Amino acid sequence: MADQLLIGLDFGGMSIKGGAVSASEGKVLARGLRPFAPDVDAAEIFTRAAELVLELESAAGGSAERVGVGCAGLFDRPTGTVLASANMPNLVGESLSEGVGRGLGGREVLVENDANIAAFGEQWLGAGLAEDSMALLTLGTGVGGGIVLGNELFVGPGGNAGEIGHTVIFPRPSGSHYDGPYHEELACPCGSYGCLERLVSASAAKRRARAAGLSDDLPVLAQSARSAAGPERRLLHEIGRDLGSGLSTLVTLFDISFFVIGGGFGAALDVLRPGAEELLEEQRYGTGASRIVPATLGSDAGWIGAARLSLRAD
């Protein structure tokens, strides 16, 4: 009996990444990419997505029963309709399930948030492949995240679980006249204050480096921290502790002990990890120790997780 073919797509602001993988062995059989201009309309995006699926199936020598799709934003999962997406405003109000499925003869299309599917991909074929439960955090412009519990993607009853970047770790100080160093910087675009991404994202790290009189070139900053003790190492240790504070919340709520860190700023994990581990040890509840490892799938994590979505429908 032929192995089941899985197809996944990852919608980005200017391209669609995709790939084909075998269900039983997790073997990558094909990869593909379809770029598009930022102002292209939804119909054209759906056409290119369907074309990419057919290209992948041709390269892999098979056909997928259904297709998984990941996209940044909030969704109505029963219909696959995009409710909000900062990266792809041209898809807001559109059903990804119907739009992509229309070009594939009405095949079923499953839709999920891009950070969630990246976590699902890393747990299946990446850094978390030996773990039943884990959380992924991506340190980029913001902080994305996803949670896998017992080999199942956990999104919560409303579909919004895993928004780790908006965990408040630095509550607003009381008093209307507070003017401390983080007063304005920690106001988050989500409307809250003191969110994790305002302290540990790449954007936050650059801001904190400039405030400390250091280079805001993060690879240079990280290399300086690796090379010698000094202000760069101290800053990244502090940022690591803030990261650990966010992880500690997940430990307490979900009993997760395995964390995967990705994103551009995730390349500095080796110098962030000491601070994160220090904080986790200080706030440890229970007897288990936590592990923090780098993501391994890179930009493939999203489409691999999307491909895995199709197995959940059986």
Side-chain angles (χ1 to χ4, degrees):
M1 182 177 178
D3 196 359
Q4 183 181 355
L5 179 66
L6 308 178
I7 299 285
L9 303 179
D10 185 8
F11 281 44
M14 296 181 65
S15 68
I16 304 168
K17 299 183 184 73
V21 61
S22 62
S24 65
E25 297 181 355
K27 180 180 179 182
V28 175
L29 304 173
R31 291 181 176 85
L33 178 72
R34 280 291 189 283
F36 52 80
D39 59 351
V40 68
D41 62 21
E44 179 61 23
I45 292 175
F46 294 148
T47 296
R48 297 189 189 192
E51 290 174 350
L52 179 54
V53 170
L54 297 176
E55 175 187 297
L56 292 168
E57 289 179 329
S58 177
S63 179
E65 293 180 31
R66 56 186 73 88
V67 174
V69 170
C71 181
L74 301 176
F75 303 90
D76 175 62
R77 282 175 175 78
T79 65
T81 299
V82 181
L83 302 178
S85 179
N87 291 345
M88 302 196 74
N90 40 359
L91 291 180
V92 174
E94 300 284 345
S95 169
L96 301 189
S97 298
E98 291 181 8
V100 177
R102 193 179 305 121
L104 298 172
R107 267 187 274 179
E108 183 180 10
V109 175
L110 306 175
V111 179
E112 186 52 76
N113 172 270
D114 61 341
N116 287 337
I117 59 166
F120 213 32
E122 284 286 353
Q123 192 262 341
W124 185 33
L125 299 180
L129 59 85
E131 303 295 323
D132 291 338
S133 300
M134 57 156 270
L136 168 73
L137 279 75
T138 56
L139 311 184
T141 304
V143 175
I147 298 169
V148 179
L149 298 176
N151 290 309
E152 291 292 335
L153 189 60
F154 179 73
V155 299
N160 296 321
E163 291 291 342
I164 300 162
H166 296 290
T167 302
V168 174
I169 64 167
F170 193 100
R172 184 189 298 275
S174 59
S176 59
H177 301 295
Y178 177 76
D179 60 356
Y182 295 126
H183 182 53
E184 295 298 332
E185 293 86 346
L186 294 193
C188 186
C190 76
S192 191
Y193 178 93
C195 291
L196 183 66
E197 75 170 40
R198 299 300 295 168
L199 287 158
V200 307
S201 65
S203 304
K206 289 183 177 186
R207 185 188 71 242
R208 294 176 72 168
R210 289 192 295 269
L214 303 174
S215 171
D216 66 358
D217 184 316
L218 297 185
V220 170
L221 184 74
Q223 188 54 47
S224 296
R226 293 183 187 104
S227 299
E232 293 87 358
R233 185 177 294 179
R234 288 194 294 273
L235 174 62
L236 291 180
H237 189 84
E238 290 174 9
I239 294 174
R241 283 184 59 86
D242 289 333
L243 174 61
S245 184
L247 301 183
S248 179
T249 300
L250 296 177
V251 173
T252 304
L253 291 178
F254 298 105
D255 194 24
I256 292 173
S257 61
F258 190 82
F259 300 97
V260 178
I261 307 298
F265 188 39
L269 178 60
D270 59 318
V271 283
L272 294 171
R273 185 160 41 204
E277 291 176 339
E278 180 180 88
L279 192 288
L280 282 167
E281 180 62 26
E282 289 175 9
Q283 298 187 354
R284 185 165 71 177
Y285 182 82
T287 59
S290 299
R291 286 184 294 154
I292 309 171
V293 304
T296 61
L297 295 181
S299 62
D300 285 344
W303 72 256
I304 287 175
R308 189 183 180 192
L309 283 177
S310 61
L311 288 174
R312 301 170 68 200
D314 292 332

